Amino acid sequence: MAPMTRSRADNEGAVPNDLMVTYYRQRAGAGLIVSEGSPISEQAIGYINTPGIYTQEQVEGWKKVTKAVHDEGGKIFLQLWHVGRMSHPDFQNGELPVAPSAINPNDKSFTPEGFKDTVTPRELTVPEIKQIVQDFKNGAKNAIEAGFDGVEIHASNGYLLHQFFVTVANTRTDEYGGSKENRSKILFEILDAIKEVVPVEKVGVRMNPSLHGGFGITVDENTIPTYDFMIEKLNNYKLAYLHLTEASPATYDVPHIEAHIAKRYRPIYKGNLIINGGFTQETGNKVIADGDADMVAYGVPFIANPDLPERFAQNAELQKPDTSKFYAPGAEGYIDYPSLQEANA
């Protein structure tokens, strides 16, 4: 089950609640659940009601979630998240969000008062980058204390680490900018920090090499060579997995894009490879049969089908999700989708 923001931690401390316990318990039949993105600090927040992993109260809330999943025989990793420039001053006590460089993504941030235009962020100092590395480390340590089976570093989808990787968002001239080695430095510093507190075989990394046109990210001639370098280097870490997202078919004709992510990176990456991005049961089976991935991550199908693996096993019809409730508060459109057994009854 792929990580999906659901914005249900609607309390002052951004603490996982009983609704979330039920939601994850219902989906424990997934081979592995990757939790929704969990901010590693207050600075990391960019969406309403996202459950954090930086206070003891949040750790205690997550303990109930992991216990529920484990009681059902499931496995769950926590996704460690910093949104960078995709935040808004509304989340930063009126201050600017932070980023590798002061470049506005010209997108929208989901604030307590609804969607607002993003602003030009403030460029991070080197000491601040070092602090963010420590925040990832602390988040990983907290996740293990909360009972998670491992953690996933969110280095994808236009958020902070992705912003460092791409030249459209990173124009720094210091040790974190310029060359592909420098632009990817923060990821490997985070991995080296986390492995001091969590066995590296309990750590996954999420990436979206061909993201184009969202979150202010565009592919250029530097993009794929940078990912080739990073993914080759990740072989030096015995990770739990590398989790990649396929390119959108709408972007296949964009110059410099890699249209077939699994096919490109399966020969390069030697560890467990998870692929995600609009797969059906049939196409998911095919990518595994073709040897292009070890696992397939499903997102939206799990929203309306908490027992998705069982439905696949029985070739049962899938229920359709109510998109208007994806990020709404409350139980509706969250924990009220019946399982196949319940529907048949």
Side-chain angles (χ1 to χ4, degrees), residues 208-241:
N208 190 348
S210 284
L211 177 67
H212 181 85
F215 305 99
I217 302 294
T218 52
V219 169
D220 63 20
E221 67 275 11
N222 297 302
T223 304
I224 295 302
T226 301
Y227 281 94
D228 289 352
F229 167 78
M230 289 192 290
I231 289 171
E232 177 67 55
K233 188 171 178 177
L234 285 174
N235 285 316
N236 298 332
Y237 298 81
K238 303 302 180 190
L239 297 175
Y241 60 80

Side-chain angles (χ1 to χ4, degrees), residues 22-48:
T22 300
Y23 171 78
Y24 284 108
R25 178 190 285 119
Q26 289 174 336
R27 288 152 184 80
L32 169 68
I33 293 173
V34 184
S35 81
E36 60 208 277
S38 186
I40 55 170
S41 65
E42 287 193 26
Q43 182 197 70
I45 300 168
Y47 294 80
I48 62 164

Side-chain angles (χ1 to χ4, degrees), residues 87-145:
S87 188
H88 189 274
D90 287 5
F91 293 112
Q92 308 293 333
N93 296 314
E95 301 293 318
L96 292 174
V98 297
S101 300
I103 301 171
N104 190 336
N106 294 311
D107 210 300
K108 301 282 185 185
S109 179
F110 190 15
T111 79
E113 297 174 0
F115 283 99
K116 291 187 178 181
D117 291 338
T118 54
V119 300
T120 300
R122 177 176 64 78
E123 181 173 304
L124 285 159
T125 66
V126 170
E128 286 175 324
I129 293 171
K130 304 294 186 190
Q131 180 57 53
I132 287 170
V133 171
Q134 293 306 306
D135 290 342
F136 271 94
K137 177 182 178 179
N138 188 54
K141 183 168 173 285
N142 287 345
I144 298 304
E145 184 191 338

